[in-house]
Amino acid sequence: MAKESKNDKKQLAKYFYEVMYRTRRFEEDVFEFYKRGLMPGLAHLYLGEEAIAAGVCAALRDSDYIGSTHRGHGHLVARGADPKRMMAEILGKATGYSKGKGGSMHIMAMDRGILGANGIVGGEMPISVGAAYASKYRGTDGVTVCFFGDGATNEGLFHESINMAAAWDLPIVFVIENNYFGISVDIRKVTKENTLSKRAVAYGIPGVTIDGNDVFAVHEEAKKAVDLARSGKGPSLIECLTYRWQGHHVGDPATYRAESEFKSWKERDPIVNLEKTGILSTAEIETIRKRIDEEIAEASTFAEESPYPDMSDAFTDVFV
């Protein structure tokens, strides 16, 4: 039994490493496209937060749903979305998930249960509650995960959505990706109680705060919450403490953050954390990296060489 458990953990570690490294490389190439002036608009990168999406999404089934944020690339990668179509969408190309019309902040992958990233802070919350309600109404055992940042917890949508989900015991897991800053505002300066998971008490649901850079810890708590929701026992709130490496978006120098704090969090790199466990050998890590480097390079080439949508397609798939 112990041998099987050890093997299971190794396979899980391989999966986590692949997802986190794929997300890291994807975001690095997105940043390069921005610096080359090839990406319309801005992107909000997931660099440094990779363990959250990897750990949470590993607890889900293919039939489950996800509500995502403006910082949503990592959620799609963790759900197995096609990096080629993702990168093409970010560059505004016709081969993208939304034919280039959604871009980075509204990227979606309905084939993977991703209901769409959202440019409105907290905008994904009522959408996610609606998806969870639909699952309960239809009598399925589907679960919805709603990702959002620390800043969204001060929005009215946060309280309204959790209240409804709790009152109706909806199958949903609320995940706070607490990277401490909503654009330039430090969440610790605008809340009396800085442990955001304690807000769950007001709605009578479980709430927990964990190290969002420990992918195994994230997965363990996510699995508990997903199992609870799937069994009909209602929602949970998980606060994952993490730190974004870049500014709020690719054009933000983030001069409002203390350099010492940034350095301290960067030393807690979730990918390096996993490497340090020793579960994976150096050779195994190098093999994974090589394969994913090639995969992301191929996706970036595909996106760059893809055509832009034709002007005649401007009003297709648009509801007015």
Side-chain angles (χ1 to χ4, degrees):
M1 188 70 180
K3 188 174 187 295
E4 291 177 358
S5 178
K6 184 177 180 181
N7 289 339
D8 289 344
K9 189 165 186 178
K10 188 176 183 69
Q11 289 305 311
L12 199 55
K14 280 185 177 180
Y15 171 78
F16 287 152
Y17 197 86
E18 288 182 9
V19 172
M20 291 195 293
Y21 188 67
R22 183 177 289 112
T23 303
R24 177 73 54 88
R25 286 293 300 111
F26 184 89
E27 296 292 65
E28 288 173 345
D29 271 26
V30 170
F31 202 5
E32 288 304 312
F33 276 127
Y34 171 76
K35 288 186 281 189
R36 291 170 59 197
L38 298 178
M39 188 195 84
L42 299 170
H44 303 73
L45 302 180
Y46 207 65
L47 295 171
E49 303 183 21
E50 297 90 349
I52 302 174
V56 171
C57 290
L60 298 175
R61 297 175 182 170
D62 288 348
S63 56
D64 293 331
Y65 295 109
I66 284 181
S68 187
T69 74
H70 54 275
R71 200 179 307 282
H73 305 163
H75 306 147
L76 272 77
V77 172
R79 280 294 272 172
D82 183 352
K84 290 182 178 179
R85 295 179 68 189
M86 284 181 63
M87 195 69 80
E89 183 61 35
I90 290 168
L91 295 191
K93 299 300 185 72
T95 52
Y97 265 107
S98 299
K99 303 176 184 177
K101 297 178 181 180
S104 171
M105 280 204 291
H106 298 279
I107 194 167
M108 67 191 307
M110 286 297 292
D111 60 323
R112 303 305 304 157
I114 303 281
L115 302 174
N118 207 303
I120 300 172
V121 175
E124 67 279 10
M125 294 182 190
I127 295 171
S128 300
V129 169
Y133 178 77
S135 294
K136 183 167 184 173
Y137 181 80
R138 291 169 179 163
T140 72
D141 64 353
V143 171
T144 299
V145 167
C146 179
F147 291 100
F148 51 95
D150 45 280
T153 64
N154 283 344
E155 294 283 341
L157 286 172
F158 170 83
H159 302 281
E160 294 174 45
S161 298
I162 292 186
N163 181 66
M164 181 177 288
W168 293 349
D169 289 323
L170 298 184
I172 185 169
V173 179
F174 296 98
V175 179
I176 308 172
E177 298 180 313
N178 187 354
N179 58 32
Y180 295 100
F181 291 90
I183 306 183
S184 60
V185 176
D186 189 330
I187 191 67
R188 294 161 292 190
K189 294 181 178 179
V190 293
T191 53
K192 183 71 172 180
E193 173 55 67
N194 293 327
T195 303
L196 303 179
S197 65
K198 289 184 178 180
R199 298 187 177 191
V201 175
Y203 303 102
I205 65 173
V208 64
T209 297
I210 60 174
D211 179 0
N213 282 18
D214 181 340
V215 68
F216 283 103
V218 173
H219 180 61
E220 183 179 347
E221 289 300 332
K223 192 173 185 307
K224 290 179 188 175
V226 168
D227 288 347
L228 198 70
R230 206 179 301 283
S231 66
K233 296 179 181 177
S236 301
L237 178 65
I238 303 174
E239 178 187 16
C240 298
L241 301 179
T242 187
Y243 210 79
R244 53 176 163 80
W245 285 10
Q246 300 302 131
H248 176 63
H249 53 71
V250 284
D252 172 20
T255 53
Y256 44 82
R257 302 188 304 191
E259 185 62 30
S260 58
E261 182 176 74
F262 170 59
K263 182 179 178 182
S264 173
W265 274 97
K266 200 163 186 182
E267 289 172 353
R268 296 164 63 182
D269 181 341
I271 295 177
V272 175
N273 280 349
L274 182 50
E275 291 175 352
K276 287 179 177 178
T277 64
I279 299 173
L280 301 178
S281 68
T282 300
E284 288 171 324
I285 289 171
E286 289 177 351
T287 298
I288 292 171
R289 283 177 170 253
K290 184 177 185 297
R291 173 167 52 81
I292 291 176
D293 283 344
E294 293 172 353
E295 176 189 309
I296 297 303
E298 186 177 337
S300 295
T301 298
F302 171 82
E304 189 166 2
E305 294 178 351
S306 289
Y308 286 103
D310 190 83
M311 285 295 292
S312 62
D313 199 36
F315 294 103
T316 58
D317 305 313
V318 177
F319 297 90
V320 293

